[in-house]
C-alpha cells in the first residue's frame, strides 16, 4: 500500500501564506517560548499535572475564554467560536452543521532525570519533559489564542476545541478519560502533532494510514525451587529460565506472526537473585509488546501468553503473566492528512513537507480516532545546523523552539482551511 502524500489530492485550497490570516505575532511567540520553558522547568507526571492545568486555565481565561477542567482533576478542554458556556462550564449543544475541529495536546512528563545544562532545565529531580509534551501543549495554547482573536472578528469559519489531555505516558493513556469527560462531544475532526527529533525544525512529516504502533505492557514472574549454585541439577535454575524467556519468546513470536505485522516484545527489566552462589526462587521480567498491525495486536495477548508458558515450562519454571492492554496504532485518515498537507503548504510551501515512516512508538491519540476522523503530524524539532541527534525519552532531549511557531501556524491554517473540506 502506498502511504505517501498526494500533492494534488483533496479539496482544501492553499492560498499563499501571506494571504492566510492566523500568523503568530512576534510578541505572542516570545510569550509562548517563555511558557514552554516554564513547563519544562516544572514537569508533572500523568494525572498529577495540577500546576500545568492551572497555568493553562489562567492564560485561556485571560484571553476571555472559558476552559473546563476535566473530571479527572487535571487537563482541560476549551471551545472557541461556540455559543457561550452554561453556568456549569459545559458548552451548549453543538450545531451538527458546524462540527468542531479539535486540537489535542498531551501535558504530562516522564519519570527520568533532566541531564541538560540549560537555564530552563527541570527543577524537579527525576522528572523531565523528555518527549516534547511541553511543546505540544504550548503549540495548542498558542493556536487557541490566535484563533480566539480571529473568532472575535468573525474570521473563524468553524468552531475549534482545544483538548489538553493528561497522562499520555500512563497506559492505556489519559485519552479514554478525556473522551469520557466529553472531549469529543460535537467534534467532527481531530488533529495533533508530535515532536520528531529526526525531522528538522521548520518541517513536518505526514503519513496516510498507521503512523504509530500498538503498545502494551508485559510483566512476567517466574517461580521454582532454588538452591546452591554447586547443585543446579537439583533446582529450577530461574536465572537461566528468565534468560531463555528473554531470548526465546521474541524469537518464537517472529515465527508465529506474519513478519509484516511487526509484532515485537522488547524487555526493559530482568531481575533475579541476591547472591552469587544462590540460585533464586523468583525472577521477574517486564517489557513492552509493540505491533504495527491492528489485527495482530488483537491476537497478541494469546500468542504472548502461549510463548512464555512454553519456554518457562521447558525449563521447569512456573509463570505468572500480567498483560496490560495499552493503545492501538494511530491510523491517520486520508482527508485529514490532506488538510494538514494543505495547511503546511499554505504556510511554508511544499518543500516543508516530507513523508514519514510508521514508528514502533505508542500514542494514546489513537483512542480519539476510534470515534472521529483525524490525523497526527510529526513536528520537526531538530536544529538544522546541529549534528547531534537527541532522541525522545532521553534526559538530554531538547527542541529547536522555532517549532512552536511552525506548529501554531500549522494548526491555525488547518482551522481556516477545514471549512473547505467539511463544507
Amino acid at each position: 500500500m502506498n502511504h505517501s502524500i498526494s500533492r494534488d489530492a483533496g479539496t482544501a485550497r492553499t492560498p499563499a501564506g501571506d494571504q492566510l490570516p492566523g500568523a503568530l505575532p512576534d510578541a505572542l511567540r516570545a510569550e509562548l517560548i517563555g511558557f514552554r520553558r516554564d513547563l519544562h522547568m516544572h514537569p508533572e507526571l500523568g494525572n498529577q499535572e495540577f500546576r500545568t492545568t492551572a497555568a493553562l486555565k489562567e492564560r485561556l481565561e485571560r484571553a476571555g475564554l472559558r476552559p473546563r477542567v476535566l473530571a479527572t482533576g487535571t487537563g482541560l478542554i476549551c471551545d472557541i467560536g461556540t455559543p457561550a458556556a452554561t453556568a456549569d462550564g459545559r458548552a451548549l449543544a453543538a450545531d451538527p452543521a458546524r462540527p468542531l475541529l479539535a486540537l489535542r495536546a498531551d501535558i504530562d512528563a516522564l519519570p527520568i532525570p533532566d541531564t541538560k545544562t540549560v537555564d530552563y532545565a527541570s527543577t524537579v529531580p527525576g522528572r523531565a519533559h523528555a518527549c516534547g509534551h511541553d511543546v505540544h501543549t504550548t503549540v495548542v495554547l498558542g493556536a487557541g489564542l490566535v484563533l480566539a482573536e480571529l473568532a472575535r472578528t468573525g474570521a473563524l469559519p468553524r468552531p475549534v476545541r482545544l483538548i489538553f489531555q493528561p497522562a499520555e505516558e500512563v497506559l492505556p493513556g489519559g485519552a479514554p478519560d478525556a473522551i469520557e469527560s466529553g472531549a469529543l462531544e460535537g467534534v467532527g475532526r481531530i488533529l495533533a502533532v508530535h515532536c520528531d527529533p529526526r525531522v528538522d525544525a521548520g518541517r513536518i512529516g505526514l503519513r496516510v494510514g498507521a503512523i504509530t504502533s500498538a503498545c502494551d505492557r508485559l510483566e512476567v514472574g517466574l517461580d521454582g525451587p532454588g538452591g546452591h549454585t554447586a547443585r543446579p541439577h537439583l533446582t529450577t535454575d530461574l536465572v537461566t529460565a528468565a534468560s531463555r524467556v528473554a531470548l526465546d519468546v521474541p524469537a518464537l513470536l517472529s515465527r508465529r506472526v506474519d513478519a509484516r505485522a511487526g509484532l515485537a516484545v522488547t524487555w526493559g527489566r530482568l531481575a533475579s537473585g541476591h547472591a552469587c552462589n544462590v540460585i533464586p526462587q523468583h525472577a521477574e521480567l517486564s517489557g513492552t509488546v509493540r505491533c504495527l498491525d491492528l489485527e495482530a495486536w488483537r491476537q497478541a495477548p494469546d500468542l504472548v501468553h502461549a510463548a512464555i508458558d512454553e519456554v518457562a515450562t521447558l525449563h521447569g519454571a512456573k509463570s505468572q503473566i500480567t498483560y496490560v492492554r495499552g493503545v492501538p496504532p494511530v491510523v491517520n485518515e486520508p482527508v485529514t492528512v490532506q488538510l494538514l498537507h494543505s495547511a503546511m503548504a499554505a504556510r511554508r510551501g511544499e518543500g516543508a513537507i516530507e513523508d514519514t515512516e510508521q514508528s514502533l512508538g505508542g500514542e494514546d491519540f489513537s483512542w480519539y480516532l476510534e470515534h472521529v476522523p483525524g490525523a497526527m503530524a510529526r513536528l520537526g524539532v531538530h536544529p538544522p545546523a546541529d549534528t547531534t541527534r537527541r532522541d525522545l525519552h532521553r534526559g538530554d532531549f531538547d527542541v529547536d523552539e522555532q517549532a512552536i511557531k511552525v506548529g501554531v501556524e500549522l494548526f491555525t491554517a488547518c482551522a481556516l482551511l477545514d471549512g473547505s473540506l467539511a463544507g
Side-chain angles (χ1 to χ4, degrees):
M1 183 179 295
N2 181 11
H3 295 285
S4 62
I5 310 304
S6 170
R7 303 308 179 199
D8 55 0
T11 59
R13 297 177 181 177
T14 56
D18 58 356
Q19 297 176 356
L20 193 66
L24 181 63
D26 288 342
L28 181 54
R29 175 181 176 274
E31 179 192 346
L32 291 174
I33 289 174
F35 190 92
R36 178 257 166 175
R37 293 185 177 189
D38 180 72
L39 294 184
H40 202 85
M41 293 173 67
H42 302 93
E44 297 173 301
L45 299 184
N47 295 316
Q48 301 173 25
E49 311 95 333
F50 296 103
R51 183 184 185 278
T52 302
T53 298
L56 288 165
K57 186 172 184 289
E58 187 279 331
R59 185 62 184 92
L60 292 166
E61 288 178 339
R62 186 150 41 94
L65 299 170
R66 299 192 65 176
R68 175 170 65 88
V69 176
L70 299 180
T72 51
T74 62
L76 48 83
I77 65 175
C78 183
D79 290 351
I80 301 167
T82 58
T86 58
D88 66 358
R90 277 192 174 272
L92 296 174
D95 180 354
R98 300 181 73 236
L100 293 101
L101 173 69
L103 308 178
R104 175 268 197 175
D106 37 13
I107 66 175
D108 57 326
L110 284 162
I112 64 175
D114 192 338
T115 61
K116 299 187 299 298
T117 54
V118 294
D119 58 7
Y120 52 87
S122 172
T123 61
V124 184
R127 305 286 185 267
H129 268 295
C131 198
H133 294 189
D134 53 336
V135 175
H136 307 163
T137 300
T138 304
V139 164
V140 172
L141 172 64
L145 296 176
V146 173
L147 292 173
E149 287 298 317
L150 292 176
R152 289 188 187 98
T153 65
L156 186 62
R158 188 170 301 280
V160 172
R161 173 168 294 159
L162 314 179
I163 302 174
F164 297 96
Q165 177 215 298
E168 189 276 331
E169 298 287 357
V170 183
L171 291 177
D177 288 333
I179 294 168
E180 182 67 22
S181 290
L184 290 182
E185 292 176 5
V187 169
R189 190 185 308 281
I190 188 167
L191 305 174
V193 293
H194 198 295
C195 291
D196 191 337
R198 302 166 302 173
V199 178
D200 284 347
R203 300 173 61 83
I204 64 167
L206 294 176
R207 178 183 174 86
V208 172
I211 193 171
T212 69
S213 79
C215 180
D216 300 332
R217 190 175 79 242
L218 181 62
E219 306 282 345
V220 180
L222 300 175
D223 291 289
H228 202 295
T229 55
R231 292 177 288 279
H233 59 290
L234 302 179
T235 72
T236 293
D237 186 352
L238 284 183
V239 173
T240 296
S243 299
R244 296 319 310 178
V245 167
L247 291 171
D248 293 348
V249 167
L252 276 175
L253 291 170
S254 72
R255 293 299 180 267
R256 295 179 179 178
V257 180
D258 189 328
R260 292 170 295 183
L263 181 65
V265 173
T266 305
W267 305 104
R269 176 176 170 271
L270 193 161
S272 184
H274 301 284
C276 66
N277 60 347
V278 178
I279 293 175
Q281 295 178 317
H282 183 70
E284 296 177 350
L285 303 92
S286 57
T288 58
V289 181
R290 299 179 187 272
C291 188
L292 300 175
D293 178 75
L294 188 59
E295 185 55 38
W297 177 68
R298 294 190 175 110
Q299 301 171 10
D302 290 341
L303 292 168
V304 171
H305 271 80
I308 292 171
D309 285 341
E310 190 174 320
V311 176
T313 299
L314 181 64
H315 292 275
K318 295 181 179 179
S319 62
Q320 302 86 41
I321 303 166
T322 301
Y323 194 109
V324 180
R325 268 305 199 194
V327 294
V330 171
V331 181
N332 283 348
E333 186 260 341
V335 174
T336 310
V337 173
Q338 186 58 46
L339 172 63
L340 287 161
H341 181 277
S342 298
M344 192 64 173
R347 291 296 191 202
R348 292 181 169 256
E350 295 280 351
I353 305 163
E354 60 186 65
D355 294 334
T356 191
E357 299 177 347
Q358 183 180 6
S359 81
L360 279 169
E363 236 290 351
D364 76 349
F365 183 68
S366 55
W367 293 121
Y368 298 104
L369 303 185
E370 298 280 304
H371 301 273
V372 297
M376 171 176 281
R378 301 202 187 281
L379 180 65
V381 297
H382 177 255
D386 190 351
T387 58
T388 303
R389 295 282 175 176
R390 297 175 176 84
D391 203 3
L392 301 171
H393 288 222
R394 279 180 27 173
D396 64 348
F397 176 73
D398 205 356
V399 305
D400 184 330
E401 290 172 324
Q402 176 193 177
I404 294 172
K405 176 180 173 66
V406 175
V408 168
E409 294 186 346
L410 172 69
F411 277 160
T412 59
C414 284
L416 294 167
L417 295 174
D418 185 43
S420 64
L421 283 172

